[in-house]
Amino acid sequence: MTGVHNGEAAEAVAHRPAHKRSASATRTALRAAAAFRFGKYGYEGTSVRDIAGDVGVDAALVYRYFGSKEALFNDVSGTGKIFEPLLSEPVEAIPDWFCALLMGPSREGGFPHPVLSVLRSSGRDEAVARLRADFTDVFSRRLAARLDGPDADLRAELLAAWMLGTSLMRTEIRPPALASAPDATLERYLRAGIEVLLGAAPEDGDGTAGDEERAAGDD
């Protein structure tokens, strides 16, 4: 999957010696380092020098590529960039994309979590508004437009909520069952939930279907 492979590539290039990187690879490595720093320490707790140091380049290169610390923050905290590859996947391949994104080693900083970047930063009202706008564009509008059936926007937003909550639980909170679940077991549950949200919602509009099922059970 494009989005996942790009994320793995970003992590790999972030640890290569600077002189072996192309300009494009260096920008990718700086984005990966910035996503980790902003997610863990917030905007105020992160310096351009820290980000550059993680990649092994001079801080001036950050300003050259991104213009400012604020511009770099906006670049890596926007959900549009993180989830853009999702919108090019066939709908039937979306469960694969999400499972690949959410699974794997649950290590701190392994996922550039946009919610953490917002909560740990100053100017939260503005950051929350930008995050809401990004999610509305990517999930409520663009992904929802690709889904059949009723409540497509709600289902797309629930998919985003589940994905973000699961990633936060795995990378930051790490409860024992979720942290130790075998990959096959975790993937089975993830796929089941994702496929329900991608498909049309059960038709129980006035409760008739549910009543009929309960009546059948009573017999």
Side-chain angles (χ1 to χ4, degrees):
M1 254 67 67
T2 304
V4 178
H5 291 331
N6 284 349
E8 293 171 350
E11 185 176 355
V13 298
H15 294 89
R16 293 179 192 162
H19 67 276
K20 292 185 178 180
R21 297 194 198 102
S22 66
S24 176
T26 299
R27 280 192 292 268
T28 298
L30 287 169
R31 286 191 180 99
F36 172 80
R37 287 275 179 180
F38 287 133
K40 184 174 183 180
Y41 303 111
Y43 185 84
E44 297 298 329
T46 297
S47 71
V48 170
R49 187 181 299 274
D50 291 333
I51 296 169
D54 289 344
V55 179
V57 299
D58 190 270
L61 204 56
V62 177
Y63 294 105
R64 176 182 171 186
Y65 287 149
F66 300 98
S68 67
K69 174 183 167 181
E70 181 179 4
L72 177 56
F73 174 78
N74 291 338
D75 184 279
V76 301
S77 64
T79 56
K81 292 184 181 296
I82 297 172
F83 299 114
E84 189 72 29
L86 166 66
L87 299 173
S88 63
E89 293 286 346
V91 171
E92 60 271 19
I94 288 178
D96 293 333
W97 193 91
F98 270 116
C99 286
L101 182 68
L102 291 172
M103 293 172 62
S106 56
R107 58 194 183 281
E108 186 179 26
F111 182 81
H113 209 290
V115 173
L116 288 181
S117 298
V118 169
L119 294 180
R120 292 172 176 171
S121 300
S122 61
R124 275 181 54 179
D125 289 345
E126 180 181 350
V128 167
R130 183 174 62 249
L131 189 67
R132 183 183 302 113
D134 286 343
F135 269 90
T136 298
D137 177 55
V138 173
F139 288 93
S140 313
R141 293 175 184 159
R142 298 169 68 189
L143 179 59
R146 304 179 64 204
L147 303 182
D148 296 326
D151 303 317
D153 54 347
L154 176 59
R155 287 153 46 211
E157 290 176 8
L158 284 171
L159 186 61
W162 193 18
M163 182 277 305
L164 286 174
T166 301
S167 66
L168 182 63
M169 290 285 284
R170 294 199 80 221
T171 61
E172 299 294 327
I173 300 174
R174 296 188 287 274
L178 190 58
S180 63
D183 285 352
T185 301
L186 179 59
E187 182 172 356
R188 185 170 70 250
Y189 285 110
L190 286 173
R191 284 183 179 278
I194 293 168
E195 288 169 1
V196 166
L197 291 172
L198 291 176
E203 294 184 6
D204 61 355
D206 58 0
T208 304
D211 290 340
E212 290 176 352
E213 290 174 1
R214 284 191 291 273
D218 290 339
D219 294 338

Short mmCIF file of all heavy atoms in Angstrom, two decimals, residues 131-142 157:
data_model
loop_
_atom_site.label_atom_id
_atom_site.label_comp_id
_atom_site.label_asym_id
_atom_site.label_seq_id
_atom_site.Cartn_x
_atom_site.Cartn_y
_atom_site.Cartn_z
N LEU A 131 -7.56 20.74 12.21
CA LEU A 131 -7.72 19.29 12.22
C LEU A 131 -9.13 18.91 11.79
O LEU A 131 -9.33 17.98 11.00
CB LEU A 131 -7.44 18.76 13.63
CG LEU A 131 -7.34 17.25 13.81
CD1 LEU A 131 -6.12 16.70 13.09
CD2 LEU A 131 -7.28 16.90 15.29
N ARG A 132 -10.14 19.64 12.29
CA ARG A 132 -11.52 19.37 11.91
C ARG A 132 -11.72 19.58 10.40
O ARG A 132 -12.39 18.79 9.73
CB ARG A 132 -12.47 20.28 12.69
CG ARG A 132 -13.96 20.00 12.39
CD ARG A 132 -14.86 20.97 13.14
NE ARG A 132 -14.64 20.92 14.55
CZ ARG A 132 -14.12 21.92 15.29
NH1 ARG A 132 -13.76 23.05 14.70
NH2 ARG A 132 -13.95 21.79 16.58
N ALA A 133 -11.14 20.65 9.89
CA ALA A 133 -11.27 20.93 8.46
C ALA A 133 -10.62 19.82 7.63
O ALA A 133 -11.17 19.40 6.60
CB ALA A 133 -10.64 22.28 8.13
N ASP A 134 -9.45 19.34 8.06
CA ASP A 134 -8.77 18.27 7.35
C ASP A 134 -9.60 17.00 7.34
O ASP A 134 -9.76 16.33 6.31
CB ASP A 134 -7.40 17.98 7.97
CG ASP A 134 -6.38 19.06 7.66
OD1 ASP A 134 -6.61 19.83 6.71
OD2 ASP A 134 -5.36 19.14 8.37
N PHE A 135 -10.13 16.63 8.52
CA PHE A 135 -10.93 15.41 8.60
C PHE A 135 -12.22 15.54 7.80
O PHE A 135 -12.68 14.58 7.17
CB PHE A 135 -11.24 15.07 10.06
CG PHE A 135 -10.22 14.17 10.68
CD1 PHE A 135 -9.12 14.69 11.33
CD2 PHE A 135 -10.33 12.80 10.57
CE1 PHE A 135 -8.17 13.87 11.88
CE2 PHE A 135 -9.38 11.96 11.12
CZ PHE A 135 -8.29 12.49 11.78
N THR A 136 -12.83 16.71 7.83
CA THR A 136 -14.05 16.92 7.06
C THR A 136 -13.78 16.73 5.57
O THR A 136 -14.55 16.09 4.85
CB THR A 136 -14.60 18.34 7.31
OG1 THR A 136 -14.92 18.47 8.69
CG2 THR A 136 -15.85 18.60 6.48
N ASP A 137 -12.64 17.27 5.10
CA ASP A 137 -12.31 17.15 3.69
C ASP A 137 -12.01 15.70 3.30
O ASP A 137 -12.56 15.18 2.32
CB ASP A 137 -11.11 18.04 3.37
CG ASP A 137 -10.68 17.91 1.91
OD1 ASP A 137 -11.54 18.10 1.02
OD2 ASP A 137 -9.51 17.60 1.66
N VAL A 138 -11.14 15.04 4.09
CA VAL A 138 -10.69 13.71 3.71
C VAL A 138 -11.76 12.65 3.94
O VAL A 138 -12.03 11.82 3.05
CB VAL A 138 -9.41 13.34 4.49
CG1 VAL A 138 -9.02 11.88 4.23
CG2 VAL A 138 -8.26 14.25 4.08
N PHE A 139 -12.37 12.66 5.12
CA PHE A 139 -13.30 11.58 5.46
C PHE A 139 -14.76 11.95 5.18
O PHE A 139 -15.45 11.23 4.45
CB PHE A 139 -13.12 11.20 6.94
CG PHE A 139 -11.85 10.47 7.20
CD1 PHE A 139 -10.71 11.15 7.60
CD2 PHE A 139 -11.76 9.09 7.04
CE1 PHE A 139 -9.51 10.48 7.84
CE2 PHE A 139 -10.58 8.41 7.28
CZ PHE A 139 -9.45 9.11 7.67
N SER A 140 -15.25 13.06 5.76
CA SER A 140 -16.68 13.39 5.65
C SER A 140 -17.11 13.66 4.22
O SER A 140 -18.26 13.42 3.86
CB SER A 140 -17.00 14.62 6.52
OG SER A 140 -16.43 14.49 7.80
N ARG A 141 -16.20 14.16 3.41
CA ARG A 141 -16.56 14.50 2.02
C ARG A 141 -15.99 13.49 1.03
O ARG A 141 -16.75 12.79 0.34
CB ARG A 141 -16.05 15.90 1.69
CG ARG A 141 -16.77 16.99 2.47
CD ARG A 141 -16.17 18.36 2.20
NE ARG A 141 -16.80 19.40 3.02
CZ ARG A 141 -16.25 20.58 3.31
NH1 ARG A 141 -15.05 20.88 2.83
NH2 ARG A 141 -16.89 21.45 4.06
N ARG A 142 -14.68 13.43 0.95
CA ARG A 142 -14.08 12.68 -0.15
C ARG A 142 -14.21 11.17 0.01
O ARG A 142 -14.53 10.47 -0.95
CB ARG A 142 -12.62 13.11 -0.32
CG ARG A 142 -12.49 14.59 -0.66
CD ARG A 142 -11.06 15.08 -0.56
NE ARG A 142 -10.20 14.49 -1.56
CZ ARG A 142 -8.88 14.62 -1.57
NH1 ARG A 142 -8.27 15.32 -0.62
NH2 ARG A 142 -8.15 14.07 -2.53
N GLU A 157 -16.65 9.02 9.14
CA GLU A 157 -16.11 9.65 10.35
C GLU A 157 -15.89 8.63 11.46
O GLU A 157 -14.92 8.73 12.22
CB GLU A 157 -17.05 10.76 10.81
CG GLU A 157 -17.05 11.97 9.88
CD GLU A 157 -18.05 13.04 10.30
OE1 GLU A 157 -18.63 12.91 11.40
OE2 GLU A 157 -18.25 13.99 9.53
#
